[in-house]
Amino acid sequence: MKSFKFAAVALMTMAALSAQAAADGVYRGQAMGHNDIVVVDVTVKGDKIADVKIVKSLETPAVSELPKKVIPEMIVENQSVKIDRISGATFSSFAIVGAVRDALAKAGLDLAKFQQGPSHKYLFTVPAQSKADVVIVGGGGAGVSAAVSAARSGARVILIEKMSFLGGNTVLAGGALNASDPALEGLQKMSAGQRAMVDGLLAEEPRNELHRALIASCKAKWDAHIAKTPDVLFDCEELHALQTWKAGDYAANLELVDKLSKLAPNTVKQLASMGFDWNDFSSQYVGAIWPRSHDAKYFTSGQGYIDTYRATIEKEKLPVTIYYQTKAQSLIMKDGRAVGVEAIGPDGKPVKVEATKGVVLAAGGFGANVEMRMKYDTQWDGKLNKNIGTTNSPAITGDGIVMAEKAGAKLIDMGYIQLLPVTDPQNGTVSGVCQGTAIYVNTDGRRFVNEMDRRDVLSRAALAQKGGVFYRMCTVQNSRVKPDGMTTMGQSIDTLIKAGKVVRGDTVEDLAKKTGIDAAILRDTFAKFNDFCRKQTVDPEFGRPSCAPNIPMYEGPFYAELRTPSVHHTMGGVAIDTDTRVIGADGKVIPGLYAAGEVTGGIHGTNRVGGNAISDCLSFGYVAGANAAAMK
Ligand code: ADP
C-alpha cells in the first residue's frame, strides 16, 4: 500500500512537471510546405513561446512572404498555434504552424495549452469608402505594371487585390518574356529547320492588309540578314507578330498582336532601367516557337517582375495604395462610364472605391474556375473538369471577365483554353528540372512529338500517351539545376528526388531501370535524337526544327521527370482595342474602362505562344495604366 502511494505521487509529480516545465532554450521543428520542408527555431522561456524564427523555407517567395512575416509574430503575441491560414498561402501557413508545433512537442510542452480559445486570423484594414484617380483590379503582372505607369503619369492609384499578396499567376509561371532581340538572339546559330520556318511564313498568302505589310517588312529584313549573316539566328518584331498570329490559327486580332510584338522589346528595356537583370542569353520556352524568351538572371519564376515594379513604387515614392484581401465584385457605372469598383473587404464588409479617371481590369483569366472552363471550352471535349490539374493560383476565377460582361463589355475567344503540357502530374504545378523543350519520351521509351511545337499540339500528343503522361529527360549538365542544388524555380533537387518527382540515372541503362523503361529502346531513342542534334538538320522523326543548344542527350548523368498537361491559360476574355480600352457588346468603347493581361481576349487566338503572356500583361498593363491616368 505504502509503496503504491509513493509511486502515485511520483507519477503525479512527473506529469505535473512535464505539463508545465520545458527547459528554457531553442527548439527546432519542421513541417512540409508546398515546395520543401520548412524549418523553424522556437525559443521557449518559462513555458512561453518567446520567439519564432524561420530557419529554412523554400516556399514560393510572393506567396510565402506574408505568412513568414506575420505568422511567427501572431504565434508569439497570442501564445497560440491556432492560427488561420493566409488565403492562397495554405501550405506555407500550415507549414510554419506545423513546424512550431513540432518544436513545442520536442520541448515537451503541452500542445493543448497553445490551442485554446478562438483561432487567430491576419486581416488587413481597408476603408469602407475611398477615392483615387485610377482604380486597378488585380495585382498580378498587368496590375502592378499598370499601377507604376498610372502613378508615373501623375495619377493617385488604388489597387484592389483579392489575395494577401501580389503576383497572381505571373509569379507561378516559368517567367519567360518573349521579345525580339536580334543582338541577343544573334549569339545563336540558325538551323536549316528554322530557316524553313521563316521562308514558310513569308510565302503565306496575306489574309489582310496588315498581314501583307508585316510580311513585306519582315521579308526586307530577312533578305538583308540572309545576304550578310545566313548562319546567325534572325529575329525582328514582324517575325514575332507573324509567328504569334499563325500559332493562334489567325484567330487573334492582328492589330493587337502587332502592338504586342512592338511593345515587348521596350518592356525588356524598361524593366532593365528599373534594375531588373536579364540573362545574357535567350532561350525557347515550351511552345515559344522561336528562341526569343528572355528571363531573369537572379529571380526564380516571374517573381522578379512583381518585385521590380514594387521596388519602383517604393523608390519613386509613387502614390499607389494596395487594398489586400479585397475582392472586387462589380463595376460602378454612371451614364455608361466606369467610375469605380464595389468590393468585399478583408472583414467581409462592403468596400467602395471611386475612380475619378478610370478603372483598369487586371484580374487575370479563369483557369481555376472549373464551371467557367466547362461552360466556355470549345477545344478539349469536356475534359477540363475538376479531374484535370491547373497551374493557376486559386484566385484566377474569371472575376474581372464576369464584372466586365455585366457592365456591357464584349467577350471574345472564350472557348480557347490552353493546357501546359509539362506540369507535375501530382499537383499541376509548373516545376521541374529539364528545359521546356528537352526530349519528351513516353513510358515505353519512345519520342512522340516535336518538342518545339505549339502547346496545344504538345498537350494533345501527351494526352494520347498511356495514362496521359510522359517523361521529360535531360542531362544533369544541361538541366535547370544550379550548382547550389536549387532549380531555377527555387526547388531543391535533393527534395525532388526524395519525393520521387525526379529520377536521376548515371547512364542510359540506369535511367531506364529507374523509370521502368526497356533499356534497349531508350538507348535507341537517345541515339536517334543525338544523331539529329549532331547533324543540325530537321529531325527526321517528328520535324523538330532544331536541337537547340544544350538539349542533346550525349552523356549522363541524366534526369527524368514525369509530366502531364494541366490547365494553364485562358486566351479569351474582355475585348479591347490597341489602347486597352474595353469594347462594349455594341462595338463601342466603354468610357473609363481599361483592361490588360489575361483578363482580355484577342491577343493570342486559339493557342498562346509560350512566353507571350508575360510580354502581354506587362506591356499592355503599362499602356492601360497610362491611358487610364490620361482620361479626362
Ligand atoms: P495577369 O497576368 O493578367 O496580370 P495574374 O494572374 O498574374 O494576371 O494576376 C491577376 C490578379 O488578380 C491576381 O493577383 C488575383 O489574385 C487578382 N484577382 C482576381 N480576381 C480578383 C478580384 N475579384 N478582386 C481583386 N483581385 C482579383
Side-chain angles (χ1 to χ4, degrees):
M1 206 50 195
K2 242 184 182 177
S3 65
F4 169 73
K5 250 191 190 162
F6 172 77
V9 170
L11 273 173
M12 265 174 60
T13 314
M14 276 170 66
L17 266 177
S18 69
Q20 359 147 313
D24 287 357
V26 179
Y27 295 89
R28 184 156 283 192
Q30 66 176 52
M32 192 61 197
H34 186 270
N35 294 342
D36 209 317
I37 286 162
V38 172
V39 181
V40 300
D41 274 350
V42 176
T43 306
V44 173
K45 255 193 210 142
D47 282 2
K48 292 240 165 7
I49 305 171
D51 189 33
V52 173
K53 265 204 180 54
I54 295 177
V55 181
K56 178 188 164 192
S57 165
L58 299 178
E59 301 295 275
T60 311
V63 178
S64 63
E65 188 183 336
L66 185 70
K68 272 157 66 176
K69 183 176 174 300
V70 303
I71 291 182
E73 288 169 6
M74 288 167 77
I75 291 175
V76 175
E77 192 185 319
N78 299 297
Q79 290 297 303
S80 171
V81 287
K82 223 166 151 192
I83 307 289
D84 271 5
R85 73 193 165 89
I86 287 179
S87 63
T90 305
F91 286 99
S92 304
S93 309
F94 285 163
I96 298 169
V97 174
V100 171
R101 289 167 59 98
D102 183 42
L104 295 179
K106 282 181 183 146
L109 284 166
D110 180 7
L111 273 178
K113 221 180 91 185
F114 297 94
Q115 299 189 108
Q116 287 159 6
S119 57
H120 304 273
K121 197 177 174 79
Y122 186 82
L123 290 183
F124 285 87
T125 312
V126 168
Q129 299 246 6
S130 50
K131 196 189 264 190
D133 298 319
V134 172
V135 177
I136 299 169
V137 179
V144 292
S145 173
V148 168
S149 102
R152 277 181 165 180
S153 308
R156 287 166 307 133
V157 176
I158 290 176
L159 187 152
I160 299 173
E161 170 53 55
K162 173 157 121 175
M163 306 301 265
S164 309
F165 44 84
L166 297 174
N169 276 354
T170 305
V171 295
L172 302 178
L177 185 157
N178 287 347
S180 60
D181 191 337
L184 190 70
E185 291 163 61
L187 300 173
Q188 296 183 38
K189 286 198 154 180
M190 185 157 54
S191 71
Q194 286 165 326
R195 274 185 77 142
M197 279 173 79
V198 179
D199 284 334
L201 277 163
L202 298 181
E204 281 185 7
E205 189 59 40
R207 290 164 184 256
N208 59 39
E209 280 316 302
L210 179 53
H211 193 203
R212 184 186 306 281
L214 285 168
I215 290 175
S217 169
C218 185
K219 186 163 181 338
K221 292 180 184 174
W222 172 248
D223 289 345
H225 178 90
I226 290 296
K228 259 186 22 210
T229 48
D231 297 331
V232 170
L233 188 66
F234 169 77
D235 205 5
C236 63
E237 290 163 13
E238 294 84 346
L239 182 65
H240 186 187
L242 292 170
Q243 288 183 320
T244 298
W245 201 44
K246 181 179 171 150
D249 295 317
Y250 314 100
N253 174 347
L254 186 56
E255 285 183 13
L256 291 174
V257 178
D258 178 36
K259 178 115 184 194
L260 170 74
S261 68
K262 291 198 163 85
L263 289 171
N266 192 49
T267 302
V268 170
K269 287 193 199 111
Q270 189 183 56
L271 278 156
S273 75
M274 292 180 191
F276 187 94
D277 287 306
W278 294 102
N279 264 335
D280 39 21
F281 56 88
S282 65
S283 65
Q284 181 165 335
Y285 265 49
V286 190
I289 314 290
W290 202 254
R292 62 169 72 89
S293 309
H294 294 56
D295 50 13
K297 200 175 232 167
Y298 304 115
F299 287 103
T300 56
S301 72
Q303 181 67 42
Y305 304 119
I306 302 294
D307 284 2
T308 302
Y309 289 112
R310 211 164 52 165
T312 302
I313 291 171
E314 277 161 32
K315 201 165 115 203
E316 297 179 12
K317 298 194 171 44
L318 297 175
V320 176
T321 307
I322 302 174
Y323 290 176
Y324 288 105
Q325 295 173 340
T326 304
K327 183 178 183 231
Q329 300 273 84
S330 57
L331 289 160
I332 307 172
M333 304 297 291
K334 195 171 168 204
D335 302 330
R337 176 180 174 143
V339 293
V341 174
E342 275 175 338
I344 296 291
D347 53 4
K349 298 203 177 118
V351 165
K352 189 173 168 186
V353 192
E354 277 176 67
T356 54
K357 293 188 172 213
V359 175
V360 178
L361 291 174
F366 60 94
N369 186 328
V370 175
E371 228 173 87
M372 277 179 86
R373 277 173 5 203
M374 293 301 281
K375 171 173 167 189
Y376 287 110
D377 166 46
T378 54
Q379 297 179 308
W380 300 98
D381 305 326
K383 288 197 191 82
L384 306 187
N385 55 28
K386 63 178 172 32
N387 298 328
I388 188 159
T390 179
T391 60
N392 282 207
S393 147
I396 307 306
T397 46
D399 306 4
I401 296 172
V402 173
M403 282 166 62
E405 191 182 28
K406 278 197 192 128
K410 178 170 155 186
L411 304 186
I412 52 167
D413 297 348
M414 291 293 287
Y416 306 145
I417 299 177
Q418 175 165 90
L419 305 188
L420 184 67
V422 290
T423 67
D424 182 333
Q426 281 169 0
N427 55 21
T429 55
V430 183
S431 55
V433 299
C434 295
Q435 296 189 47
T437 56
I439 184 171
Y440 299 176
V441 172
N442 65 18
T443 49
D444 290 334
R446 297 183 207 282
R447 278 181 73 215
F448 56 92
V449 74
N450 155 21
E451 298 87 347
M452 292 171 108
D453 216 323
R454 299 161 39 147
R455 288 184 173 176
D456 54 352
V457 173
L458 298 175
S459 293
R460 278 184 211 291
L463 290 173
Q465 306 309 305
K466 273 184 210 157
V469 294
F470 65 95
Y471 283 105
R472 184 168 59 177
M473 297 185 174
C474 57
T475 62
V476 166
Q477 200 196 348
N478 297 328
S479 70
R480 302 170 77 168
V481 182
K482 296 177 287 175
D484 62 0
M486 301 300 292
T487 73
T488 52
M489 291 294 285
Q491 292 178 295
S492 139
I493 182 65
D494 291 343
T495 306
L496 290 171
I497 291 176
K498 258 190 234 146
K501 288 184 187 284
V502 175
V503 169
R504 185 187 149 116
D506 286 332
T507 59
V508 186
E509 290 70 25
D510 191 27
L511 192 70
K513 195 168 149 211
K514 288 178 178 158
T515 50
I517 293 173
D518 182 307
I521 296 178
L522 195 60
R523 219 180 294 121
D524 179 58
T525 297
F526 282 11
K528 281 190 186 133
F529 188 71
N530 288 340
D531 187 48
F532 146 65
C533 287
R534 283 194 187 91
K535 290 183 183 149
Q536 282 292 333
T537 51
V538 176
D539 155 32
E541 287 185 288
F542 298 99
R544 181 175 167 129
S546 103
C547 179
N550 300 337
I551 297 296
M553 302 295 284
Y554 296 152
E555 230 176 277
F558 303 102
Y559 289 132
E561 49 191 352
L562 207 59
R563 302 283 95 183
T564 197
S566 293
V567 174
H568 186 53
H569 188 99
T570 48
M571 273 74 76
V574 179
I576 53 165
D577 65 10
T578 51
D579 292 324
T580 69
R581 297 180 300 177
V582 172
I583 309 295
D586 58 1
K588 291 191 191 132
V589 164
I590 300 181
L593 190 57
Y594 298 81
E598 203 177 337
V599 74
T600 64
I603 296 166
H604 306 289
T606 57
N607 164 70
R608 174 173 69 73
V609 167
N612 268 1
I614 300 273
S615 318
D616 168 7
C617 71
L618 302 186
S619 307
F620 281 112
Y622 210 84
V623 171
N627 287 347
M631 187 81 191
K632 295 271 177 287

